[in-house]
């Protein structure tokens, strides 16, 4: 954190570089935050949360159940594929192996605001001692993968269904893309970010191609 350089976008995956905490349309929200989002635009985990919360009309329940049934069967296949790919790449160099200290860089950013929030959501041990700086809270917000963390973005992907947008950030602190680029850890971190971003979207939102 706070550099979310891999973003998974509804309807597919857009994995790219350059998004940073504090930029427009980059704001983490709770995983169950689905305010003002049509049911048909929700991902698997979001729909499960809506169903568990109750209070739906009969018509709404039918829409949620129908969409969930479709997503559950597709995600089940995706989870098997992701698991097989993770086993196949288990022997490849990881962030930790690429260079000493890649997963353990201290936080040197601002003492509050979105930058500290991203760092806390990424579980960087050097910023976790501060009071949570995230409006949505720091507990139960992220998917943790060891060297990276994924969290949901407030902005949705227009024209995509599901419209869920996920951001994946390294656990270690990098101020921006230039800071990462000059690090010996860059190749390993970017590789892991892309893998974790892709896998999280496929298994918690919906299967989809990379674009």
């Amino acid at each position: 954190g706070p550099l979310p350089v891999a973003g998974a976008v509804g309807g597919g995956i857009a994995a790219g570089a350059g998004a940073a905490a504090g930029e427009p349309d980059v704001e983490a929200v709770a995983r169950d935050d689905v305010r003002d989002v049509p049911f048909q635009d929700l991902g698997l985990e979001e729909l499960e949360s809506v169903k568990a919360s109750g209070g739906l009309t009969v018509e709404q329940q039918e829409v949620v159940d129908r969409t969930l049934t479709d997503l559950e069967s597709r995600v089940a296949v995706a989870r098997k594929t992701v698991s097989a790919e993770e086993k196949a790449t288990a022997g490849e160099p990881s962030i930790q192996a690429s260079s000493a200290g890649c997963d353990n860089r201290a936080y040197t950013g601002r003492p509050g605001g979105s930058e500290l929030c991203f760092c806390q959501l990424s579980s960087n041990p050097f910023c976790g001692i501060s009071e949570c700086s995230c409006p949505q809270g720091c507990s139960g917000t992220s998917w943790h993968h060891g060297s990276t963390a994924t969290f949901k973005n407030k902005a949705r992907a227009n024209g995509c269904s599901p419209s869920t947008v996920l951001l994946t950030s390294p656990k270690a602190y990098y101020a921006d893309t230039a800071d990462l680029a000059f690090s010996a850890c860059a190749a390993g971190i970017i590789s892991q970010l892309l893998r974790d971003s892709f896998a999280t979207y496929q298994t918690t939102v919906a299967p989809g191609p990379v674009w």
Side-chain angles (χ1 to χ4, degrees):
L3 177 70
V5 298
V9 180
I13 311 301
E23 287 190 2
D25 297 326
V26 178
E27 179 183 348
V29 294
R31 285 163 55 171
D32 60 357
D33 187 344
V34 294
R35 289 171 292 179
D36 302 321
V37 182
F39 293 142
Q40 62 268 26
D41 288 343
L42 299 178
L44 175 66
E45 188 173 289
E46 293 172 322
L47 283 166
E48 290 174 338
S49 176
V50 168
K51 184 174 181 177
S53 67
L56 300 175
T57 66
V58 173
E59 183 179 356
Q60 289 173 331
Q61 187 69 58
E62 290 177 350
V63 173
V64 169
D65 287 342
R66 184 168 59 251
T67 310
L68 258 178
T69 298
D70 173 61
L71 279 178
E72 285 171 343
S73 60
R74 293 165 54 205
V75 168
V77 175
R79 285 174 175 164
K80 291 181 180 179
T81 301
V82 168
S83 178
E85 290 175 348
E86 288 176 346
K87 291 178 181 179
T89 58
E92 295 183 9
S94 63
I95 292 176
Q96 295 91 335
S98 62
S99 181
C102 290
D103 194 28
N104 199 34
R105 293 186 87 207
Y107 177 72
T108 57
R110 299 185 186 93
S114 59
E115 188 172 17
L116 179 60
C117 169
F118 275 46
C119 185
Q120 291 170 329
L121 293 180
S122 300
S123 293
N124 185 314
F126 296 98
C127 60
I129 58 174
S130 304
E131 182 179 348
C132 180
S133 185
C134 304
Q136 76 283 1
C138 293
S139 177
T141 300
S142 306
W143 293 270
H144 295 283
H145 318 298
S147 297
T148 72
T150 299
F151 32 92
K152 194 168 75 172
N153 194 36
K154 182 176 182 178
R156 310 288 293 196
N158 293 329
C160 295
S161 182
S163 61
T164 313
V165 176
L166 303 182
L167 302 172
T168 299
S169 176
K171 182 177 180 180
Y173 176 76
Y174 292 89
D176 50 36
T177 51
D179 187 21
L180 176 61
F182 285 105
S183 167
C185 306
I189 287 178
I190 292 173
S191 174
Q192 197 66 48
L193 284 168
L194 296 177
R195 287 177 180 173
D196 292 341
S197 178
F198 179 85
T200 305
Y201 190 90
Q202 301 293 302
T203 58
T204 66
V205 180
V210 174
W211 51 261

